[in-house]
Amino acid sequence: MKISWKSVLLWSLPILVVLFFLWQGFVASNNTEFGKNIASSRMTYGRFLEYLDMGWVKRVDLYDDGHTAIVEAIGPELGNRIQRIRVELPATAPELIPKLKKANVDIDAHPVSDNNSTVGVIGNLIFPILLIGGLAFLFRRSNNMPGGPGQAMNFGKSKARFQMEATTGVTFEDVAGVDEAKEEFEEVVSFLKRPERFTAVGAKIPKGVLLVGPPGTGKTLLAKAIAGESGVPFFSISGSEFVEMFVGVGASRVRDLFKKAKENSPCIVFIDEIDAVGRQRGTGIGGGNDEREQTLNQLLTEMDGFEGNTGIIIIAATNRVDVLDAALLRPGRFDRQVTVNVPDVRGRLEILNVHARNKKLSEEISLEVIARRTPGFSGADLANLLNEAAILTARRRKKAVTMSEVDASIDRVIAGMEGTALVDSKTKRLIAYHEVGHAIVGTLLQEHDPVQKVTLIPRGQAKGLTWFTPSDDQSLISRSQILARIMGALGGRAAEEVVFGYPEVTTGAGNDLQQVTSMARQMVTRFGMSNIGPLALEGQGSDPFLGRSMGASSEYSEDVASRIDMQVRSIIQHCHDETVQIIKDNRVVIDQLVDLLIEKETIDGQEFSEIVASYTPIPQKPEYKALL
Ligand code: ADP
Ligand code: MG
Ligand code: ZN
C-alpha cells in the first residue's frame, strides 16, 4: 500500500488536537500548583517582620509583583535549619526594602511572566505551529518539482546564503603556475595589509577584480589565497545563488552580503560565477529577466555606494567575460581583469609539485614527464590525477605511488575505464591493423606528434588506442601540422582498406572520420587554408544568448557553400590517397608490428619506432624542448 503524505497528515490532525488539550491541561494545573511545592509552610507579615528584627532572615524572593515572598530563614524557633516560608505581603509596604537592605538580606524579585508564563505561551503556540508546519510540509511534498510552488516556501528566508571564512588558510604557496595573476594580486594584498601607505599618497585601490578563466584553473583558490595572505575574512557567494524565483530576493541578498562585509572590513568578497547575475541586461530570448536585472542593479549600487578605501575588495570569477554587462566592467567597478589560463607545461609542473607535497611518491616518479603528458589539463584535473593515482596505489597495496599508477590514471582521465583485451580473432587482428595504421603514419610524418604507445586494451568506447606525445605548444598550428593530423587519423581506415579490402572496412573508424571532417572543414571555413582564400566564413563560437546551433548563421551564398564542400572533400581525398600510399609502402613492417601487438597487446613508442626504423628511415621530429 502506498501511504500518501496527505493522508498521514489528515489522520494526525485529531491526534494533534488531543495533544493540544492535554498540554493545555498540564500547563493549567502547573499554574495552580505554583508556589506550593516551593514553600510548604507560611507565616504572617507581622511574624516575618519579627524574624527580620531577630536577624533570622537570610534571603527573600519576591514573586507575584511583590505580593508574595518566599523567605529563607534560620533560627532556634525553626530548629536551627534553613526553612523556606511563604509570606503574603501587604499591597503597600514601602518600608520593607530599605529594612531588608539594612538587615543585609539577599533580595531577588521574579517577574510574573517568568518561566511559568513562557511555558503557557509555548503551550498556546504549539498547536498553531504544528498545524502550520504540517501544512507547509504537505505543500512542499506535493510540489517538489524544481521551481514549483515548493520553492515558494523559501520566500520568507531572505537570509543571505553566503559563506564566511574568518581565515581561509590558503596562501600563494598553494597556487601554482599562475604567476602573472599572483603578481597582480600582490598589490591587493599589500593594500589590505597596509592601507595607509596607499591612502597617504591619495591612491585609490580598485574595488573590484575580475578573474577570468576556464573552470578548474584555480580562480576560487586564488581568491582564497588573497584573503589568506592578507589575513582578512573571506565572504563568498555564487552568482547562481542570487538568482531566485522572486523578484527582489537576489537584491536583498546582495544588500545583506555587503552589510556583513562592511561590518567586517577589511575583507574580501568573492562572487563566483558572476555571469549568472552579471549578464548584459535586456538580452536573451523572451525579454530580460527582471529578477536578474534587479540583482545586478543592486550589485552595481552597492559597489558605487562604498568609497574606494573602505577596505572591501570584491573579487569575481567567471569563464564568460564576453557576456558580462558593460556596466560591470566600467572603471570603479570591476575595472581590473586578471586572466588565469589552463597552465602550460611549466605551470603544470609547478601545480604537480604543490599537490605532490602531501603524497607519498616513489623515487622514480618524474613530475616532468607527467607534466609533459598532460597538455590541456587544468589545475583541478592535475590535482584529481594525483589523487586518482594515490587511490590506485592504495588499492594495489603499494607503499608509494609509482609511474605505473600515474600512467594508468592519465589514461583513464583521458580515455575512460580500461577493459579487457579480446582473445585472438579476426576482429582483434583488424583492430591491430587499424591501430598500427594510425601509429605508422604518425611515425613517418615529420609534422606529426611522435607515438607514445599503441595498445589493444580497450578503454571507454575505444577498442584499441594509439597514444601520441603531444607537443606542448598547441596554440599555433601550421597547415602542414593539421594535414599530418588528418592523415594520422585516416591511417586506421586506410590500413583496414589496404589489408582487408574495401568491402571489409568497419565502423571502427567512425570517430576518426568525424575528427578528420571537422579539421578539414575548419581549415576551409575558419583558417583560410584552402583555395577559397583567406576568409573566415564561420565564427568559432556563436551568440552566447542563442544556443550554439541557433547562433551559427551562415553568411555566405549557396555558391560558396558548395565550394566549401568541394574543398573539404578534396583535402580529405588528397590526405587519404597519401595515407593509403604510406600503408602500402610499409606493408612488411606493418605485418610484423601487428603480430607483435597481438602477442604483447601494448607496444611503447620507443620500441615501435625502433622496429620501423629498421625498415625505413624515420624523419627527425622537432626536438621536444627540455623543460627546465
Ligand atoms: P576554479 O574556481 O577556477 O573553477 P578552483 O579554484 O575551484 O577552480 O580549483 C579547484 C581545485 O583545483 C583547487 O582546490 C586546487 O586543488 C586545484 N587547483 C586548481 N588550480 C590550481 C593551481 N593553479 N595551483 C594549485 N592547485 C590548483
Ligand atoms: Mg571556482
Ligand atoms: Zn582509429
PDB file of all heavy atoms in Angstrom, residues 187-219:
ATOM      1  N   GLU A 187      49.646  43.362  -5.028  1.00  0.00           N
ATOM      2  CA  GLU A 187      49.261  44.733  -4.759  1.00  0.00           C
ATOM      3  C   GLU A 187      48.003  44.787  -3.888  1.00  0.00           C
ATOM      4  O   GLU A 187      47.924  45.542  -2.923  1.00  0.00           O
ATOM      5  CB  GLU A 187      49.008  45.390  -6.110  1.00  0.00           C
ATOM      6  CG  GLU A 187      48.628  46.816  -6.058  1.00  0.00           C
ATOM      7  CD  GLU A 187      48.246  47.286  -7.447  1.00  0.00           C
ATOM      8  OE1 GLU A 187      49.141  47.330  -8.318  1.00  0.00           O
ATOM      9  OE2 GLU A 187      47.076  47.598  -7.670  1.00  0.00           O
ATOM     10  N   VAL A 188      47.044  43.961  -4.245  1.00  0.00           N
ATOM     11  CA  VAL A 188      45.805  43.918  -3.471  1.00  0.00           C
ATOM     12  C   VAL A 188      46.108  43.506  -2.036  1.00  0.00           C
ATOM     13  O   VAL A 188      45.594  44.088  -1.076  1.00  0.00           O
ATOM     14  CB  VAL A 188      44.809  42.931  -4.122  1.00  0.00           C
ATOM     15  CG1 VAL A 188      43.584  42.779  -3.249  1.00  0.00           C
ATOM     16  CG2 VAL A 188      44.434  43.404  -5.508  1.00  0.00           C
ATOM     17  N   VAL A 189      46.979  42.520  -1.902  1.00  0.00           N
ATOM     18  CA  VAL A 189      47.332  42.048  -0.562  1.00  0.00           C
ATOM     19  C   VAL A 189      47.982  43.162   0.238  1.00  0.00           C
ATOM     20  O   VAL A 189      47.625  43.403   1.391  1.00  0.00           O
ATOM     21  CB  VAL A 189      48.264  40.826  -0.645  1.00  0.00           C
ATOM     22  CG1 VAL A 189      48.845  40.505   0.717  1.00  0.00           C
ATOM     23  CG2 VAL A 189      47.529  39.634  -1.218  1.00  0.00           C
ATOM     24  N   SER A 190      48.901  43.878  -0.410  1.00  0.00           N
ATOM     25  CA  SER A 190      49.602  44.902   0.370  1.00  0.00           C
ATOM     26  C   SER A 190      48.644  46.024   0.733  1.00  0.00           C
ATOM     27  O   SER A 190      48.806  46.670   1.757  1.00  0.00           O
ATOM     28  CB  SER A 190      50.827  45.428  -0.366  1.00  0.00           C
ATOM     29  OG  SER A 190      50.444  45.944  -1.599  1.00  0.00           O
ATOM     30  N   PHE A 191      47.629  46.252  -0.079  1.00  0.00           N
ATOM     31  CA  PHE A 191      46.652  47.262   0.311  1.00  0.00           C
ATOM     32  C   PHE A 191      45.855  46.816   1.537  1.00  0.00           C
ATOM     33  O   PHE A 191      45.647  47.583   2.471  1.00  0.00           O
ATOM     34  CB  PHE A 191      45.683  47.566  -0.825  1.00  0.00           C
ATOM     35  CG  PHE A 191      44.544  48.418  -0.354  1.00  0.00           C
ATOM     36  CD1 PHE A 191      44.754  49.748  -0.027  1.00  0.00           C
ATOM     37  CD2 PHE A 191      43.288  47.889  -0.174  1.00  0.00           C
ATOM     38  CE1 PHE A 191      43.728  50.538   0.449  1.00  0.00           C
ATOM     39  CE2 PHE A 191      42.248  48.671   0.309  1.00  0.00           C
ATOM     40  CZ  PHE A 191      42.471  50.001   0.622  1.00  0.00           C
ATOM     41  N   LEU A 192      45.435  45.569   1.509  1.00  0.00           N
ATOM     42  CA  LEU A 192      44.639  45.086   2.637  1.00  0.00           C
ATOM     43  C   LEU A 192      45.454  45.070   3.918  1.00  0.00           C
ATOM     44  O   LEU A 192      44.940  45.262   5.012  1.00  0.00           O
ATOM     45  CB  LEU A 192      44.098  43.687   2.333  1.00  0.00           C
ATOM     46  CG  LEU A 192      42.944  43.659   1.328  1.00  0.00           C
ATOM     47  CD1 LEU A 192      42.697  42.250   0.835  1.00  0.00           C
ATOM     48  CD2 LEU A 192      41.686  44.233   1.942  1.00  0.00           C
ATOM     49  N   LYS A 193      46.773  44.832   3.754  1.00  0.00           N
ATOM     50  CA  LYS A 193      47.615  44.783   4.944  1.00  0.00           C
ATOM     51  C   LYS A 193      47.957  46.168   5.448  1.00  0.00           C
ATOM     52  O   LYS A 193      47.987  46.414   6.641  1.00  0.00           O
ATOM     53  CB  LYS A 193      48.917  44.033   4.619  1.00  0.00           C
ATOM     54  CG  LYS A 193      48.811  42.524   4.759  1.00  0.00           C
ATOM     55  CD  LYS A 193      50.181  41.928   4.527  1.00  0.00           C
ATOM     56  CE  LYS A 193      50.279  40.496   4.944  1.00  0.00           C
ATOM     57  NZ  LYS A 193      51.434  39.856   4.281  1.00  0.00           N
ATOM     58  N   ARG A 194      48.270  47.065   4.519  1.00  0.00           N
ATOM     59  CA  ARG A 194      48.742  48.395   4.919  1.00  0.00           C
ATOM     60  C   ARG A 194      48.057  49.467   4.083  1.00  0.00           C
ATOM     61  O   ARG A 194      48.663  50.088   3.225  1.00  0.00           O
ATOM     62  CB  ARG A 194      50.249  48.481   4.695  1.00  0.00           C
ATOM     63  CG  ARG A 194      51.044  48.310   5.975  1.00  0.00           C
ATOM     64  CD  ARG A 194      52.522  48.539   5.709  1.00  0.00           C
ATOM     65  NE  ARG A 194      53.191  47.359   5.188  1.00  0.00           N
ATOM     66  CZ  ARG A 194      53.405  46.266   5.896  1.00  0.00           C
ATOM     67  NH1 ARG A 194      52.998  46.187   7.119  1.00  0.00           N
ATOM     68  NH2 ARG A 194      54.013  45.233   5.374  1.00  0.00           N
ATOM     69  N   PRO A 195      46.783  49.687   4.365  1.00  0.00           N
ATOM     70  CA  PRO A 195      46.039  50.645   3.539  1.00  0.00           C
ATOM     71  C   PRO A 195      46.608  52.061   3.616  1.00  0.00           C
ATOM     72  O   PRO A 195      46.607  52.787   2.641  1.00  0.00           O
ATOM     73  CB  PRO A 195      44.614  50.581   4.095  1.00  0.00           C
ATOM     74  CG  PRO A 195      44.729  49.909   5.419  1.00  0.00           C
ATOM     75  CD  PRO A 195      45.955  49.078   5.400  1.00  0.00           C
ATOM     76  N   GLU A 196      47.147  52.402   4.790  1.00  0.00           N
ATOM     77  CA  GLU A 196      47.575  53.793   4.965  1.00  0.00           C
ATOM     78  C   GLU A 196      48.669  54.185   3.974  1.00  0.00           C
ATOM     79  O   GLU A 196      48.720  55.321   3.513  1.00  0.00           O
ATOM     80  CB  GLU A 196      47.983  54.061   6.420  1.00  0.00           C
ATOM     81  CG  GLU A 196      49.140  53.281   7.014  1.00  0.00           C
ATOM     82  CD  GLU A 196      48.887  51.780   7.230  1.00  0.00           C
ATOM     83  OE1 GLU A 196      47.710  51.362   7.210  1.00  0.00           O
ATOM     84  OE2 GLU A 196      49.862  51.038   7.386  1.00  0.00           O
ATOM     85  N   ARG A 197      49.488  53.218   3.581  1.00  0.00           N
ATOM     86  CA  ARG A 197      50.569  53.521   2.667  1.00  0.00           C
ATOM     87  C   ARG A 197      50.010  54.059   1.336  1.00  0.00           C
ATOM     88  O   ARG A 197      50.588  54.899   0.680  1.00  0.00           O
ATOM     89  CB  ARG A 197      51.377  52.252   2.405  1.00  0.00           C
ATOM     90  CG  ARG A 197      52.785  52.524   1.920  1.00  0.00           C
ATOM     91  CD  ARG A 197      53.381  51.286   1.336  1.00  0.00           C
ATOM     92  NE  ARG A 197      53.866  50.369   2.366  1.00  0.00           N
ATOM     93  CZ  ARG A 197      54.241  49.130   2.093  1.00  0.00           C
ATOM     94  NH1 ARG A 197      54.169  48.671   0.853  1.00  0.00           N
ATOM     95  NH2 ARG A 197      54.686  48.336   3.039  1.00  0.00           N
ATOM     96  N   PHE A 198      48.834  53.532   0.962  1.00  0.00           N
ATOM     97  CA  PHE A 198      48.238  53.954  -0.301  1.00  0.00           C
ATOM     98  C   PHE A 198      47.421  55.225  -0.142  1.00  0.00           C
ATOM     99  O   PHE A 198      47.494  56.125  -0.959  1.00  0.00           O
ATOM    100  CB  PHE A 198      47.346  52.836  -0.855  1.00  0.00           C
ATOM    101  CG  PHE A 198      48.131  51.647  -1.293  1.00  0.00           C
ATOM    102  CD1 PHE A 198      48.553  50.701  -0.374  1.00  0.00           C
ATOM    103  CD2 PHE A 198      48.466  51.475  -2.626  1.00  0.00           C
ATOM    104  CE1 PHE A 198      49.286  49.610  -0.775  1.00  0.00           C
ATOM    105  CE2 PHE A 198      49.201  50.388  -3.042  1.00  0.00           C
ATOM    106  CZ  PHE A 198      49.620  49.443  -2.107  1.00  0.00           C
ATOM    107  N   THR A 199      46.660  55.267   0.961  1.00  0.00           N
ATOM    108  CA  THR A 199      45.803  56.431   1.139  1.00  0.00           C
ATOM    109  C   THR A 199      46.629  57.687   1.376  1.00  0.00           C
ATOM    110  O   THR A 199      46.225  58.776   1.013  1.00  0.00           O
ATOM    111  CB  THR A 199      44.837  56.224   2.315  1.00  0.00           C
ATOM    112  OG1 THR A 199      45.566  55.714   3.419  1.00  0.00           O
ATOM    113  CG2 THR A 199      43.742  55.250   1.956  1.00  0.00           C
ATOM    114  N   ALA A 200      47.825  57.523   1.958  1.00  0.00           N
ATOM    115  CA  ALA A 200      48.679  58.663   2.241  1.00  0.00           C
ATOM    116  C   ALA A 200      49.016  59.433   0.973  1.00  0.00           C
ATOM    117  O   ALA A 200      49.104  60.655   0.984  1.00  0.00           O
ATOM    118  CB  ALA A 200      49.952  58.218   2.945  1.00  0.00           C
ATOM    119  N   VAL A 201      49.212  58.735  -0.111  1.00  0.00           N
ATOM    120  CA  VAL A 201      49.557  59.425  -1.353  1.00  0.00           C
ATOM    121  C   VAL A 201      48.334  59.639  -2.242  1.00  0.00           C
ATOM    122  O   VAL A 201      48.449  59.991  -3.404  1.00  0.00           O
ATOM    123  CB  VAL A 201      50.642  58.657  -2.141  1.00  0.00           C
ATOM    124  CG1 VAL A 201      51.931  58.640  -1.355  1.00  0.00           C
ATOM    125  CG2 VAL A 201      50.177  57.249  -2.452  1.00  0.00           C
ATOM    126  N   GLY A 202      47.173  59.402  -1.667  1.00  0.00           N
ATOM    127  CA  GLY A 202      45.946  59.669  -2.409  1.00  0.00           C
ATOM    128  C   GLY A 202      45.583  58.623  -3.441  1.00  0.00           C
ATOM    129  O   GLY A 202      44.793  58.873  -4.346  1.00  0.00           O
ATOM    130  N   ALA A 203      46.167  57.449  -3.312  1.00  0.00           N
ATOM    131  CA  ALA A 203      45.867  56.409  -4.298  1.00  0.00           C
ATOM    132  C   ALA A 203      44.543  55.742  -3.974  1.00  0.00           C
ATOM    133  O   ALA A 203      44.185  55.554  -2.819  1.00  0.00           O
ATOM    134  CB  ALA A 203      46.977  55.372  -4.291  1.00  0.00           C
ATOM    135  N   LYS A 204      43.817  55.426  -5.014  1.00  0.00           N
ATOM    136  CA  LYS A 204      42.571  54.690  -4.838  1.00  0.00           C
ATOM    137  C   LYS A 204      42.811  53.276  -5.331  1.00  0.00           C
ATOM    138  O   LYS A 204      43.245  53.060  -6.448  1.00  0.00           O
ATOM    139  CB  LYS A 204      41.466  55.333  -5.684  1.00  0.00           C
ATOM    140  CG  LYS A 204      40.441  56.034  -4.829  1.00  0.00           C
ATOM    141  CD  LYS A 204      39.169  56.246  -5.618  1.00  0.00           C
ATOM    142  CE  LYS A 204      38.191  57.080  -4.826  1.00  0.00           C
ATOM    143  NZ  LYS A 204      37.354  57.912  -5.679  1.00  0.00           N
ATOM    144  N   ILE A 205      42.508  52.360  -4.456  1.00  0.00           N
ATOM    145  CA  ILE A 205      42.720  50.960  -4.820  1.00  0.00           C
ATOM    146  C   ILE A 205      41.487  50.476  -5.567  1.00  0.00           C
ATOM    147  O   ILE A 205      40.372  50.897  -5.264  1.00  0.00           O
ATOM    148  CB  ILE A 205      42.953  50.169  -3.509  1.00  0.00           C
ATOM    149  CG1 ILE A 205      44.419  50.292  -3.115  1.00  0.00           C
ATOM    150  CG2 ILE A 205      42.527  48.736  -3.605  1.00  0.00           C
ATOM    151  CD1 ILE A 205      45.358  49.576  -4.048  1.00  0.00           C
ATOM    152  N   PRO A 206      41.676  49.632  -6.553  1.00  0.00           N
ATOM    153  CA  PRO A 206      40.489  49.147  -7.271  1.00  0.00           C
ATOM    154  C   PRO A 206      39.534  48.431  -6.321  1.00  0.00           C
ATOM    155  O   PRO A 206      39.955  47.718  -5.435  1.00  0.00           O
ATOM    156  CB  PRO A 206      41.066  48.185  -8.301  1.00  0.00           C
ATOM    157  CG  PRO A 206      42.414  47.833  -7.778  1.00  0.00           C
ATOM    158  CD  PRO A 206      42.905  49.032  -7.066  1.00  0.00           C
ATOM    159  N   LYS A 207      38.227  48.639  -6.540  1.00  0.00           N
ATOM    160  CA  LYS A 207      37.240  47.966  -5.686  1.00  0.00           C
ATOM    161  C   LYS A 207      37.043  46.535  -6.100  1.00  0.00           C
ATOM    162  O   LYS A 207      36.777  45.675  -5.281  1.00  0.00           O
ATOM    163  CB  LYS A 207      35.897  48.663  -5.840  1.00  0.00           C
ATOM    164  CG  LYS A 207      35.802  49.999  -5.242  1.00  0.00           C
ATOM    165  CD  LYS A 207      34.401  50.502  -5.544  1.00  0.00           C
ATOM    166  CE  LYS A 207      34.303  51.976  -5.237  1.00  0.00           C
ATOM    167  NZ  LYS A 207      33.008  52.505  -5.661  1.00  0.00           N
ATOM    168  N   GLY A 208      37.104  46.338  -7.406  1.00  0.00           N
ATOM    169  CA  GLY A 208      36.744  45.017  -7.899  1.00  0.00           C
ATOM    170  C   GLY A 208      37.781  44.455  -8.841  1.00  0.00           C
ATOM    171  O   GLY A 208      38.373  45.168  -9.633  1.00  0.00           O
ATOM    172  N   VAL A 209      38.025  43.171  -8.719  1.00  0.00           N
ATOM    173  CA  VAL A 209      38.925  42.493  -9.639  1.00  0.00           C
ATOM    174  C   VAL A 209      38.162  41.318 -10.223  1.00  0.00           C
ATOM    175  O   VAL A 209      37.515  40.566  -9.500  1.00  0.00           O
ATOM    176  CB  VAL A 209      40.183  41.965  -8.921  1.00  0.00           C
ATOM    177  CG1 VAL A 209      41.140  41.364  -9.915  1.00  0.00           C
ATOM    178  CG2 VAL A 209      40.849  43.064  -8.130  1.00  0.00           C
ATOM    179  N   LEU A 210      38.222  41.197 -11.526  1.00  0.00           N
ATOM    180  CA  LEU A 210      37.516  40.110 -12.184  1.00  0.00           C
ATOM    181  C   LEU A 210      38.517  39.034 -12.597  1.00  0.00           C
ATOM    182  O   LEU A 210      39.487  39.317 -13.283  1.00  0.00           O
ATOM    183  CB  LEU A 210      36.801  40.664 -13.421  1.00  0.00           C
ATOM    184  CG  LEU A 210      35.828  39.749 -14.116  1.00  0.00           C
ATOM    185  CD1 LEU A 210      34.692  39.390 -13.178  1.00  0.00           C
ATOM    186  CD2 LEU A 210      35.290  40.425 -15.361  1.00  0.00           C
ATOM    187  N   LEU A 211      38.278  37.835 -12.131  1.00  0.00           N
ATOM    188  CA  LEU A 211      39.129  36.712 -12.504  1.00  0.00           C
ATOM    189  C   LEU A 211      38.461  35.973 -13.655  1.00  0.00           C
ATOM    190  O   LEU A 211      37.331  35.521 -13.523  1.00  0.00           O
ATOM    191  CB  LEU A 211      39.252  35.749 -11.329  1.00  0.00           C
ATOM    192  CG  LEU A 211      40.312  36.039 -10.292  1.00  0.00           C
ATOM    193  CD1 LEU A 211      40.091  35.163  -9.079  1.00  0.00           C
ATOM    194  CD2 LEU A 211      41.678  35.760 -10.879  1.00  0.00           C
ATOM    195  N   VAL A 212      39.167  35.876 -14.749  1.00  0.00           N
ATOM    196  CA  VAL A 212      38.573  35.237 -15.915  1.00  0.00           C
ATOM    197  C   VAL A 212      39.361  33.996 -16.270  1.00  0.00           C
ATOM    198  O   VAL A 212      40.581  34.046 -16.356  1.00  0.00           O
ATOM    199  CB  VAL A 212      38.587  36.203 -17.120  1.00  0.00           C
ATOM    200  CG1 VAL A 212      37.870  35.578 -18.295  1.00  0.00           C
ATOM    201  CG2 VAL A 212      37.964  37.516 -16.745  1.00  0.00           C
ATOM    202  N   GLY A 213      38.698  32.897 -16.468  1.00  0.00           N
ATOM    203  CA  GLY A 213      39.412  31.703 -16.893  1.00  0.00           C
ATOM    204  C   GLY A 213      38.514  30.496 -16.880  1.00  0.00           C
ATOM    205  O   GLY A 213      37.478  30.489 -16.225  1.00  0.00           O
ATOM    206  N   PRO A 214      38.932  29.460 -17.605  1.00  0.00           N
ATOM    207  CA  PRO A 214      38.117  28.244 -17.672  1.00  0.00           C
ATOM    208  C   PRO A 214      37.995  27.562 -16.306  1.00  0.00           C
ATOM    209  O   PRO A 214      38.774  27.865 -15.393  1.00  0.00           O
ATOM    210  CB  PRO A 214      38.870  27.354 -18.665  1.00  0.00           C
ATOM    211  CG  PRO A 214      40.161  28.007 -18.933  1.00  0.00           C
ATOM    212  CD  PRO A 214      40.134  29.395 -18.423  1.00  0.00           C
ATOM    213  N   PRO A 215      37.028  26.678 -16.153  1.00  0.00           N
ATOM    214  CA  PRO A 215      36.817  26.016 -14.865  1.00  0.00           C
ATOM    215  C   PRO A 215      38.046  25.226 -14.422  1.00  0.00           C
ATOM    216  O   PRO A 215      38.766  24.675 -15.256  1.00  0.00           O
ATOM    217  CB  PRO A 215      35.657  25.063 -15.118  1.00  0.00           C
ATOM    218  CG  PRO A 215      35.162  25.315 -16.478  1.00  0.00           C
ATOM    219  CD  PRO A 215      36.083  26.247 -17.174  1.00  0.00           C
ATOM    220  N   GLY A 216      38.269  25.206 -13.130  1.00  0.00           N
ATOM    221  CA  GLY A 216      39.326  24.369 -12.583  1.00  0.00           C
ATOM    222  C   GLY A 216      40.710  24.959 -12.669  1.00  0.00           C
ATOM    223  O   GLY A 216      41.695  24.276 -12.393  1.00  0.00           O
ATOM    224  N   THR A 217      40.831  26.222 -13.061  1.00  0.00           N
ATOM    225  CA  THR A 217      42.162  26.791 -13.199  1.00  0.00           C
ATOM    226  C   THR A 217      42.631  27.477 -11.922  1.00  0.00           C
ATOM    227  O   THR A 217      43.702  28.057 -11.897  1.00  0.00           O
ATOM    228  CB  THR A 217      42.214  27.803 -14.359  1.00  0.00           C
ATOM    229  OG1 THR A 217      41.063  28.642 -14.281  1.00  0.00           O
ATOM    230  CG2 THR A 217      42.209  27.076 -15.681  1.00  0.00           C
ATOM    231  N   GLY A 218      41.817  27.444 -10.887  1.00  0.00           N
ATOM    232  CA  GLY A 218      42.296  27.959  -9.606  1.00  0.00           C
ATOM    233  C   GLY A 218      41.798  29.350  -9.263  1.00  0.00           C
ATOM    234  O   GLY A 218      42.424  30.048  -8.463  1.00  0.00           O
ATOM    235  N   LYS A 219      40.672  29.769  -9.832  1.00  0.00           N
ATOM    236  CA  LYS A 219      40.165  31.112  -9.541  1.00  0.00           C
ATOM    237  C   LYS A 219      39.716  31.225  -8.085  1.00  0.00           C
ATOM    238  O   LYS A 219      40.097  32.151  -7.378  1.00  0.00           O
ATOM    239  CB  LYS A 219      38.995  31.442 -10.482  1.00  0.00           C
ATOM    240  CG  LYS A 219      39.402  31.447 -11.942  1.00  0.00           C
ATOM    241  CD  LYS A 219      38.257  31.833 -12.847  1.00  0.00           C
ATOM    242  CE  LYS A 219      37.139  30.819 -12.877  1.00  0.00           C
ATOM    243  NZ  LYS A 219      37.516  29.511 -13.413  1.00  0.00           N
TER     244      LYS A 219
END
